[in-house]
Amino acid sequence: MFSGSWKESSMNVIELEIPDQNIDVEALQVAFGSLYRDDVLINPSRVVALLAAACMLQLDGLIQQCGETMKETITAQTVCGYYNSAGTYGLDSVKKKCLEWLLNNLMTHQSVGLFKELSINLMKQLISSSNLFVLQVEMDVYTALKKWMFLQLVPSWNGSFKQVLTEADAWFAERRREFGCDIAFLESAQGNAFLPVFAHLRLQYIISDLASARIVERDALLPSEWLSSVYKQQWFAMLRAEQDNDIGPQEINKEELEENSMRCGRKLAKDGDYCWRWTGFNFGLDLLVTYTNRYIIFKRNTLNQPCSGSVSLQPRRSIAFRLRLASFDSSGKMICSRTTGYQILTLEKDQEQIVMNLDSRLLTFPLYICCNFLYTSPEKRVDSEAQLDHVET
């Protein structure tokens, strides 16, 4: 351009139009400087601007360096910016890493800033995933979505995160008074955009707990057809377990497990002995989870210990499950992880089974345990002709 037969070869000052707003003078200086050095010290706070400049100048080595820096410095403050930039500049590995971080940390690193930054499409990806690290139960996912939707709709709100739920409940209560009883918030003009996100909640594991079901009914965020449909689904599942002697899943259907399993989790702050159960109606299977002596044990409680709900006395009951265990550093980066993969476990009355034996050298506390469970076998699909024949008979 400078020495050939171009008009720039005779100009003393050349103006370049740079359409990318992420690029500034400092980013260009570092990018040009990288032509004369093998390594460039990249400040995480400047990495997005530098990546933009590197992409414009097609400096593959610098682009790669920016990507590695981003993957190493993902935090609650940077994850959304990195995710969006990775999508803009084609860094799929960075985008994947950000998604993994959010799946692992969404429930433990919630903040006003993060919830304002999380887009509808990104939140939809997170809520639909069976890999979302849920703490404690599905109702906590619903509560997180309620806070997030409030902060998306009222981005000017700027209190502490502890106040968000109270403010959100008051704000949505005001909307209920405006709408009357005729319409759920997600069916309103304001709420409609959020429908696809809430559609991925696993409502069957929310309405299985009385207190949670009452909150969902009171909030009136969800369309009434969604709730009536899931109440019906759970009623038939209960009847199958009670009257058809459904003993639970007999084979691993990964797709069924990923879409319909109960998601729940627990944080163990320090080493010790723990025993707990996750709340809700679980079709007569009172499953106790124990952590002791570096073992995680599942026990089917029928007679030995008191239980607040009904207990099935069938000789055997099966559950499909996947157990994941992980430790994270203070920024949410995973230090170690273990998984059982998807398995079927058949338990007799009061039988217990070790499901994970932990190597003490790998353990770092706090320890996060996340489980996916399926208590009942998937309902068999009957085609319409067979149903009609059955009715006529």
Side-chain angles (χ1 to χ4, degrees):
M1 183 175 73
F2 297 138
S3 60
S5 55
W6 305 94
K7 68 175 183 178
E8 287 86 359
S9 61
S10 60
M11 293 168 66
N12 293 326
V13 176
I14 299 168
E15 288 189 14
L16 297 177
E17 184 180 341
I18 299 174
D20 191 334
Q21 292 182 342
N22 285 325
I23 300 173
D24 57 21
V25 172
E26 185 183 339
L28 281 173
Q29 286 176 337
V30 176
F32 285 130
S34 74
L35 295 169
Y36 304 95
R37 307 178 54 127
D38 290 332
D39 292 309
V40 175
L41 185 62
I42 299 175
N43 186 332
S45 65
R46 300 285 309 148
V47 70
V48 172
L50 185 54
L51 172 64
C55 287
M56 184 191 77
L57 298 169
Q58 300 178 30
L59 302 175
D60 292 341
L62 187 57
I63 292 169
Q64 188 176 347
Q65 273 185 271
C66 288
E68 293 305 313
T69 300
M70 291 165 83
K71 284 189 273 190
E72 289 299 316
T73 57
I74 296 172
T75 64
Q77 290 72 41
T78 63
V79 65
C80 289
Y82 285 179
Y83 180 87
N84 294 331
S85 299
T88 301
Y89 301 112
L91 293 184
D92 290 341
S93 62
V94 174
K95 197 174 176 181
K96 183 181 175 184
K97 202 80 173 172
C98 290
L99 200 59
E100 284 175 8
W101 189 97
L102 284 164
L103 288 169
N104 290 333
N105 294 281
L106 179 69
M107 302 301 290
T108 55
H109 283 64
Q110 296 174 21
S111 67
V112 171
L114 177 63
F115 274 18
K116 285 181 180 179
E117 282 191 88
L118 280 167
S119 69
I120 288 175
N121 284 337
L122 182 50
M123 189 60 104
K124 180 183 167 185
Q125 279 191 73
L126 299 174
I127 301 304
S128 64
S129 174
S130 63
N131 294 323
L132 180 66
F133 234 101
V134 171
L135 293 175
Q136 299 261 345
V137 290
E138 193 76 20
M139 182 60 184
D140 295 294
V141 182
Y142 169 85
T143 304
L145 280 187
K146 185 163 54 169
K147 296 175 190 174
W148 164 78
M149 181 164 65
F150 166 70
L151 290 170
Q152 292 283 307
L153 290 165
V154 193
S156 59
W157 191 86
N158 245 338
S160 76
F161 193 74
K162 287 182 179 178
Q163 299 171 300
V164 175
L165 184 57
T166 304
E167 291 286 330
D169 280 337
W171 194 84
F172 288 120
E174 187 61 36
R175 303 291 82 73
R176 279 198 301 280
R177 284 190 285 276
E178 290 175 11
F179 301 152
C181 302
D182 302 329
I183 185 172
F185 180 77
L186 291 177
E187 294 174 308
S188 70
Q190 278 181 301
N192 199 255
F194 301 94
L195 265 172
V197 182
F198 280 80
H200 288 287
L201 278 170
R202 303 186 179 191
L203 292 174
Q204 64 269 41
Y205 303 113
I206 293 177
I207 59 108
S208 63
D209 176 68
L210 181 60
S212 301
R214 282 175 170 160
I215 290 170
V216 169
E217 292 281 354
R218 178 207 70 194
D219 287 348
L221 299 178
L222 309 177
S224 58
E225 311 87 70
W226 287 13
L227 291 170
S228 57
S229 170
V230 79
Y231 284 135
K232 178 180 175 181
Q233 171 195 324
Q234 287 298 80
W235 176 247
F236 274 102
M238 189 179 82
L239 290 178
R240 288 201 315 275
E242 186 68 23
Q243 297 176 14
D244 240 4
N245 295 323
D246 176 12
I247 64 168
Q250 300 302 297
E251 58 186 29
I252 293 173
N253 182 330
K254 193 163 180 268
E255 185 179 345
E256 178 78 25
L257 276 161
E258 288 183 348
E259 287 182 10
N260 297 313
S261 59
M262 170 180 167
R263 303 180 292 190
C264 48
R266 176 94 177 194
K267 175 185 176 182
L268 307 184
K270 58 184 180 180
D271 204 358
D273 293 334
Y274 298 86
C275 183
W276 70 91
R277 56 167 66 90
W278 282 287
T279 57
F281 178 74
N282 295 323
F283 305 97
L285 184 55
D286 183 31
L287 190 73
L288 299 180
V289 184
T290 303
Y291 170 83
T292 183
N293 295 325
R294 306 299 170 103
Y295 292 105
I296 296 177
I297 300 165
F298 287 172
K299 178 179 179 179
R300 179 191 168 195
N301 176 46
T302 51
L303 304 171
N304 283 357
Q305 297 184 34
C307 176
S308 58
S310 59
V311 173
S312 166
L313 296 178
Q314 289 183 33
R316 287 189 179 85
R317 280 292 297 265
S318 297
I319 53 168
F321 77 96
R322 178 186 63 172
L323 184 146
R324 290 180 295 150
L325 179 146
S327 298
F328 305 97
D329 66 15
S330 58
S331 68
K333 185 178 179 181
M334 188 178 282
I335 301 168
C336 67
S337 67
R338 292 275 302 278
T339 180
T340 60
Y342 287 112
Q343 296 186 22
I344 300 282
L345 180 62
T346 301
L347 297 169
E348 298 181 1
K349 294 177 187 176
D350 291 308
Q351 183 182 351
E352 59 182 42
Q353 180 75 41
I354 295 171
V355 291
M356 191 177 278
N357 179 2
L358 305 173
D359 186 336
S360 60
R361 291 169 300 174
L362 297 177
L363 284 189
T364 307
F365 286 85
L367 204 59
Y368 293 88
I369 294 171
C370 187
C371 289
N372 294 68
F373 289 117
L374 199 59
Y375 286 102
T376 59
S377 54
E379 189 173 6
K380 293 181 176 64
R381 308 293 178 203
V382 183
D383 64 53
S384 55
E385 286 186 16
Q387 283 180 328
L388 188 61
D389 289 345
H390 179 70
V391 171
E392 287 174 353
T393 304

